[in-house]
Amino acid sequence: MGSERDIKIQRPTGCKLFLLLPIAVCYACFVVLGDWQGSVDYSNAQNLARLVLWAAGSFAVLAGAGFLMENGAVLIGLLPSGVQRVYHRVFPAGKERRGRWWIWLLFFLLCLLCYLPYYLIYYPTWFNNDAVWQMEQALGMAAKSNHHPYFHTLIIKVFLTVGYGLFHDYTAAVALYTFFQMALTAAVFGFYLYLLYRRGTRRLWLVLAVFFYALLPLNGMLSICMGKDAWFTAAFLLFVWAAHNCALTQASRGDAGRTETPGSFDGGEMTFGMPAGRRWLWFFGTGVSVCLLRSNGIFVFLGTAFVLITSQFFKGRRTLAKDSGGREGGWRRLFSGRERQRMYTSVAAVLVCYLLWQGPILHALQVQPPDTIESLTMPVQHLLCTYVRGGNLRAEEVEMMEAVVPLEKIDEYYNPYLFDVTKNYIRENGNQQVIADNRGAYAKLWLDVGLRNPMLYLEAEIRQTAGYYALHIPHDQILYSEYFMVDNPFGIENERKVFSYDDSLSMGEFLQWFQTFYNRVWSLGMNTWLLLFALACTLYRGRRAIAFAPCVMLLVSLLLAAPVYNELRYAYGVFVALPFLFHVGLGEER
């Protein structure tokens, strides 16, 4: 006999609808701000009206989608029996599957086999300029720098040392590193497919997920790129899974001694019966990796930890309000309990490891920190946009800017979409040390100019970040750059294995075609739109949304400091997490 939930329509509550409002406002801002050039033609009142209308329309769509997701089974049950039979035949219900280690192995080998042609054609790697610099550091040919995370440079050094010791050839050593990186990517993607398989994802969606992870060319190409992106993405995906599991552990165990039921949505199918302490150990390990493999990783971790702690804090307050009636000592209990102690310990341990690495360890290794201008993308773009666009600047403010960057040629080097051009101009011709020596004065300069020129600051912000939330952008994004080896001092060149020269040309033409096709049907903004849609469904259905926190924080960090306005690799983690996030928000509840 079905329960009340099975036979009754669940009406939307005020709380559910309220949770959708911020997401609806985000969609409205994405549309109006993403079309900055078109918005200029409207008055302020008209743009405000556009925001209101888009927010109202987005809210209606999200509310409708959440309602259908929550009541889908009931609504299908109201259809004629013939229609129901056709529906269930076309979309058979998913069934939880018993996981075996060899099933994950099959998914891993499938992904690895699909990436292998890229590896063999572009053997030993896709070698970009960043990797050349990191390899020079690893071999002692250049000064050590944390501009690109030195933790990743040490990983490169390990493989170069082992590979050269085995093969006495740097090409083979780099090939060893690339193969391991490709295998790591395939293993993590295979693990995510295993998660979906064990959860009982419907066959059609599981096939689409296999196509997504194994057959998309951009996954194959980025898996062989000798850079930090593949390593960070692998750590990021595992961190998403670990944070999600830790939230489910607290939801199912609580502090009252309840234990999770294997196979339940709030515990078993994502944790494989793993003890709670081991889950927090995974959270610690993946959290440290995220922090050390990319400069904005600490921002991602801190934001996720804040959401996790805050959610448990308010959950604990509600529980105490019911249990203790506000009696003395209730607040103390918010910080007690085995699960909360594990959470605080894990978060603190990650922060301690990160601070030790960034401070004493890098200092002992004589690693130089990134230069000042590297972390000032947005403030510099704000000020230069104000200057170039003829904003309200005082003479002394122009002098302060002139002390950092020669302004007579700034029109040639200022690029509102790509900060690298301006950054390199300042490094070669300016004096960024002035900012380092007068941080307070330049922070005040940025604030004072912004208060007088808010719209120019907004224009600079939009142009530098629009690619991450706008559905349409002026320039095509480059998915995997060039498909050849850059010049390097190591004598490393591409050496095709198995495939002929004609095969290599055919692969290049295919990759060019896919890149063009991708830019016609997809965008980085689409990733953000889908992420927020899945988040809205998750919140509406009352499910744990902690898995979305790392992705949202990654996007927020890009809005604060993205050096390129539409670079796939910076938001790659969000893209490859989408199948899992859609499972969390739209999947069947067990």
Side-chain angles (χ1 to χ4, degrees):
M1 181 179 295
S3 64
E4 289 295 312
R5 181 179 178 84
D6 295 328
I7 62 178
K8 286 187 177 181
I9 295 292
Q10 302 295 310
R11 297 180 179 179
T13 63
C15 180
K16 291 180 178 181
L17 297 178
F18 178 77
L19 291 174
L20 300 181
L21 279 176
I23 300 177
V25 172
C26 283
Y27 279 129
C29 292
F30 292 165
V31 173
V32 176
L33 298 181
D35 183 29
W36 175 257
Q37 298 297 334
S39 300
V40 173
D41 297 331
Y42 297 98
S43 66
N44 291 336
Q46 289 174 320
N47 279 319
L48 181 60
R50 293 173 67 204
L51 281 171
V52 172
L53 291 175
W54 271 105
S58 301
F59 179 81
V61 171
L62 294 176
F67 178 82
L68 291 176
M69 290 292 173
E70 189 173 45
N71 298 282
V74 178
L75 296 175
I76 292 171
L78 299 176
L79 298 174
S81 58
V83 177
Q84 290 186 46
R85 285 195 297 271
V86 172
Y87 174 83
H88 290 303
R89 188 175 303 167
V90 176
F91 302 104
K95 297 180 181 179
E96 291 189 22
R97 306 177 179 98
R98 187 176 181 181
R100 300 285 189 179
W101 66 269
W102 54 265
I103 297 176
W104 166 78
L105 181 62
L106 288 177
F107 284 130
F108 159 64
L109 292 176
L110 175 62
C111 292
L112 187 65
L113 183 64
C114 291
Y115 303 158
L116 199 58
Y118 303 98
Y119 176 71
L120 296 176
I121 287 181
Y122 299 106
Y123 180 94
T125 190
W126 165 29
F127 212 6
N128 58 26
N129 289 315
D130 292 343
V132 171
W133 185 24
Q134 287 186 272
M135 189 168 169
E136 288 176 339
Q137 295 177 52
L139 296 177
M141 300 170 60
K144 302 174 183 177
S145 172
N146 202 35
H147 177 94
H148 299 292
Y150 193 71
F151 184 76
H152 178 250
T153 303
L154 287 180
I155 295 174
I156 294 177
K157 183 174 183 177
V158 169
F159 280 95
L160 291 180
T161 302
V162 173
Y164 192 81
L166 291 174
F167 307 111
H168 305 288
D169 178 70
Y170 282 126
T171 299
V174 169
L176 177 66
Y177 165 89
T178 306
F179 185 84
F180 186 88
Q181 177 181 276
M182 181 178 63
L184 174 66
T185 302
V188 174
F189 288 172
F191 176 69
Y192 261 59
L193 289 171
Y194 178 63
L195 289 179
L196 297 178
Y197 169 85
R198 180 161 178 174
R199 176 66 176 93
T201 304
R202 295 184 179 188
R203 293 177 183 175
L204 174 61
W205 308 123
L206 186 61
V207 169
L208 291 177
V210 170
F211 177 87
F212 179 89
Y213 283 120
L215 298 179
L216 282 186
L218 63 91
N219 291 332
M221 284 301 296
L222 289 178
S223 74
I224 67 168
C225 173
M226 191 175 179
K228 60 183 176 292
D229 303 298
W231 288 83
F232 173 79
T233 300
F236 180 82
L237 289 178
L238 293 177
F239 179 66
V240 169
W241 171 72
H244 179 70
N245 279 347
C246 289
L248 294 185
T249 301
Q250 294 193 340
S252 56
R253 284 182 180 268
D255 289 327
R258 293 188 295 116
T259 59
E260 65 267 31
T261 302
S264 66
F265 180 79
D266 283 337
E269 88 286 346
M270 288 298 183
T271 59
F272 313 133
M274 187 186 300
R278 195 179 301 172
R279 297 173 202 170
W280 286 109
L281 187 61
W282 269 98
F283 181 83
F284 163 76
T286 57
V288 170
S289 300
V290 165
C291 291
L292 299 186
L293 285 169
R294 181 165 280 171
S295 56
N296 61 340
I298 183 62
F299 188 88
V300 173
F301 175 79
L302 287 176
T304 304
F306 175 79
V307 173
L308 185 61
I309 292 173
T310 302
S311 65
Q312 297 306 316
F313 180 78
F314 285 107
K315 178 178 178 291
R317 284 192 62 183
R318 289 194 299 270
T319 302
L320 289 175
K322 295 178 181 178
D323 296 345
S324 65
R327 293 193 300 270
E328 185 178 357
W331 281 91
R332 185 179 303 172
R333 289 175 57 194
L334 290 175
F335 301 95
S336 63
R338 185 175 299 175
E339 286 304 310
R340 290 192 177 90
Q341 291 172 358
R342 287 169 175 160
M343 175 177 63
Y344 298 136
T345 301
S346 298
V347 171
V350 172
L351 295 179
V352 169
C353 291
Y354 174 76
L355 292 175
L356 287 175
W357 173 262
Q358 290 294 111
I361 297 178
L362 289 183
H363 179 74
L365 294 174
Q366 299 180 334
V367 178
Q368 297 298 319
D371 57 6
T372 302
I373 202 63
E374 179 66 26
S375 59
L376 297 177
T377 299
M378 291 308 172
V380 174
Q381 290 291 68
H382 293 158
L383 290 170
L384 290 181
C385 178
T386 304
Y387 176 82
V388 172
R389 298 275 288 163
N392 184 4
L393 287 168
R394 296 169 182 159
E396 60 272 19
E397 293 170 341
V398 175
E399 289 180 4
M400 290 183 67
M401 294 171 61
E402 182 75 34
V404 176
V405 51
L407 297 176
E408 67 275 5
K409 294 184 179 180
I410 197 60
D411 289 336
E412 302 177 21
Y413 293 95
Y414 168 69
N415 188 320
Y417 305 103
L418 175 64
F419 185 59
D420 287 348
V421 178
T422 307
K423 179 171 58 180
N424 292 329
Y425 175 63
I426 294 174
R427 284 171 175 156
E428 296 172 4
N429 301 283
N431 185 5
Q432 54 180 307
Q433 187 61 35
V434 176
I435 302 177
D437 295 338
N438 302 276
R439 296 179 184 274
Y442 276 91
K444 185 175 183 299
L445 167 69
W446 173 79
L447 180 60
D448 291 343
V449 174
L451 292 175
R452 294 196 306 274
N453 303 272
M455 296 307 295
L456 290 176
Y457 271 34
L458 180 61
E459 177 182 341
E461 182 74 25
I462 292 170
R463 290 186 173 183
Q464 187 64 39
T465 60
Y468 299 103
Y469 54 81
L471 291 180
H472 303 287
I473 51 178
H475 313 101
D476 288 346
Q477 60 177 305
I478 299 175
L479 301 185
Y480 20 66
S481 190
E482 300 84 4
Y483 321 121
F484 50 83
M485 183 75 61
V486 298
D487 293 334
N488 61 85
F490 317 112
I492 300 176
E493 297 180 352
N494 279 129
E495 301 175 6
R496 288 181 302 279
K497 303 295 182 181
V498 180
F499 297 98
S500 68
Y501 179 74
D502 291 336
D503 292 327
S504 178
L505 290 179
S506 298
M507 176 64 81
E509 292 174 357
F510 168 72
L511 291 173
Q512 290 282 11
W513 170 85
F514 178 80
Q515 182 166 270
T516 302
F517 174 76
Y518 177 93
N519 280 288
R520 298 296 176 268
V521 302
W522 206 264
S523 66
L524 283 177
M526 181 71 75
N527 299 335
T528 304
W529 281 56
L530 292 176
L531 168 71
L532 292 183
F533 177 77
L535 175 60
C537 292
T538 303
L539 296 175
Y540 186 95
R541 303 176 76 181
R543 297 182 172 182
R544 293 276 164 175
I546 191 65
F548 293 84
C551 298
V552 172
M553 297 312 301
L554 178 60
L555 289 172
V556 171
S557 70
L558 294 177
L559 299 183
L560 295 175
V564 187
Y565 93 114
N566 66 336
E567 185 74 25
L568 170 70
R569 63 191 183 93
Y570 292 120
Y572 183 51
V574 175
F575 177 71
V576 292
L578 285 178
F580 178 77
L581 299 179
F582 264 73
H583 160 73
V584 172
L586 282 68
E588 296 179 53
E589 187 172 10
R590 301 298 179 193

